[in-house]
């Protein structure tokens, strides 16, 4: 019965992926072919180094090198992420007798290859795009990997203890959102996550907080998304806000080995403070209900804070960032944040606050996309970490 259930889920996933690929191909065929254009790596306005024309006219890509300093993954490693951006022309339509011009976000297609010092590796691909006429945005992601990660658990007498695990995972994620409203700032839709996880403990003692089924299980989660987005740019915004709440429901009725809920909510905003100084604020929280596997419990997600280091049934965090456009295309950023992980609302303020702060730089590498890239260094409660940033550290 278990095998039949897994085969049924697999057929559903294959069907969804084939439908997405077919729809993408049909959408691409409908677009007019661009005229031949002499590609230059210099911008037509300021003659600075720029990749906009290369990506638009030569179907080029940005190769993002990502150093991995995550302590839970061995402390050192790297990933290569080739990212293809496809510029979409605005769509002109008529609503109630009025001509309306709708901006269409660029299509994003990419791949991922990762390896770290503790022999963790991951390979995957992703796609984000828009079906222009029906106002539907979509995301598709799939990967396969073997991750060696550390998790922590606090015991009444001995205190906190580290446990090491190997995860062999196959994640697949699908999302589709329908845009609506006068300026298409509102959107709502569905999402689905499939995760096949096989876990092996790398220590002498098997931790008692891990249940037997968590060593080889299927997570199948369906949910909804509700979003408002007024940002002027999806990569490196200068103004606007993005509000989102979403949920996942996991149940045996949809092929999952777990019965649980997860609720996420976030608010990200940007505004010019003075000329060439952009301020940003991020507030984010997660709430887990039911009996999810230990490795999917919410954890504090801040630069400089190890992934999975501070977990609970719920998290709440806030982070501020300022970007100073210092000279031509060059900018510097300063940021700081704090968060807390807890199991009950009643003891939320009893737990220690986790903090991080840091600085970095950005370069406007593709002006026509509003895309900046750079690097950050961050200090958390334990050590320093560094990151390569594509667009924004709050990219969603």
């Amino acid at each position: 019965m278990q095998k039949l259930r897994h085969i049924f889920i697999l057929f559903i996933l294959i069907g969804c992926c084939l439908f997405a690929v077919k729809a993408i191909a049909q959408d691409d065929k409908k677009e007019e072919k661009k005229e031949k254009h002499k590609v230059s790596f210099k911008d037509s306005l300021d003659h600075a180094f720029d990749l906009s024309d290369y990506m638009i006219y030569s179907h080029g890509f940005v190769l993002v090198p990502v150093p991995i300093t995550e302590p839970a993954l061995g402390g050192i490693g790297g990933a290569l992420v080739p990212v293809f951006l496809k510029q979409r022309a605005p769509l002109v339509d008529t609503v109630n007798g009025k001509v309306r011009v709708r901006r269409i976000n660029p299509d994003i297609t990419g791949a991922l290859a990762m390896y770290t010092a503790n022999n963790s590796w991951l390979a995957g691909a992703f796609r984000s795009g828009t079906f222009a006429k029906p106002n539907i945005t979509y995301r598709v992601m799939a990967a396969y990997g073997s991750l060696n990660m550390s998790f922590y658990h606090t015991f009444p007498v001995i205190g906190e203890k580290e446990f090491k695990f190997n995860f062999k995972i196959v994640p697949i994620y699908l999302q589709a959102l329908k845009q609506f409203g006068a300026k298409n700032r509102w959107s709502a839709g569905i999402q689905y996550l499939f995760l096949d996880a096989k876990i092996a403990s790398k220590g002498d003692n098997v931790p008692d907080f891990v249940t037997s089924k968590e060593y080889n299980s299927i997570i199948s989660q369906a949910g909804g998304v509700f979003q408002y987005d007024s940002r002027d740019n999806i990569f490196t915004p200068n103004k606007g806000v993005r509000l989102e709440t979403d949920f996942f429901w996991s149940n045996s009725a949809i092929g999952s080995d777990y019965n649980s809920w997860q609720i996420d909510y976030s608010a990200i905003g940007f505004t010019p403070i003075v000329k060439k100084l952009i301020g940003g604020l991020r507030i984010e929280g997660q709430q887990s209900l039911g009996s999810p596997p230990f490795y999917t419990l919410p954890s504090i997600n801040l630069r400089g804070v190890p992934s999975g280091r501070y977990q609970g049934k719920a998290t709440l965090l806030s982070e501020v960032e300022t970007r100073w456009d210092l000279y031509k295309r060059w900018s510097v950023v300063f940021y700081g944040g704090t968060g807390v992980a807890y199991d009950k609302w009643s003891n939320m303020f009893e737990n220690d606050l986790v903090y991080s702060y840091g600085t970095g730089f950005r370069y406007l590498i593709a002006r026509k996309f509003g895309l900046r890239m750079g690097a950050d260094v961050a200090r958390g409660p334990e050590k320093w970490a560094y990151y390569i940033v594509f667009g924004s550290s709050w990219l969603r």
Side-chain angles (χ1 to χ4, degrees), residues 133-137 176-180 186-190 227:
K133 289 187 177 180
N135 288 359
I136 294 177
T137 64
L177 300 180
K178 169 68 175 179
Q179 297 178 322
F180 57 93
W186 296 94
S187 58
I190 58 175
Q227 183 183 109

Side-chain angles (χ1 to χ4, degrees), residues 11-85:
F11 273 112
I12 292 177
L13 293 173
I14 292 174
C16 291
C17 290
L18 289 176
F19 173 78
V21 170
K22 181 180 179 181
I24 292 169
Q26 290 177 344
D27 194 54
D28 286 345
K29 287 179 181 179
K30 292 180 181 179
E31 293 204 3
E32 296 181 356
K33 294 182 179 180
K34 294 182 175 66
E35 296 180 359
K36 291 184 178 180
H37 188 279
K38 184 178 181 181
V39 177
S40 173
F41 289 98
K42 289 187 178 181
D43 187 74
S44 58
L45 296 182
D46 60 5
H47 306 292
F49 176 74
D50 189 280
L51 295 180
S52 298
D53 287 350
Y54 168 65
M55 289 187 288
I56 294 172
Y57 299 108
S58 294
H59 304 290
F61 62 91
V62 177
L63 184 62
V64 184
V66 182
I68 298 174
T69 59
E70 176 58 58
L73 291 173
I76 186 171
L80 291 177
V81 186
V83 179
F84 296 81
L85 301 179

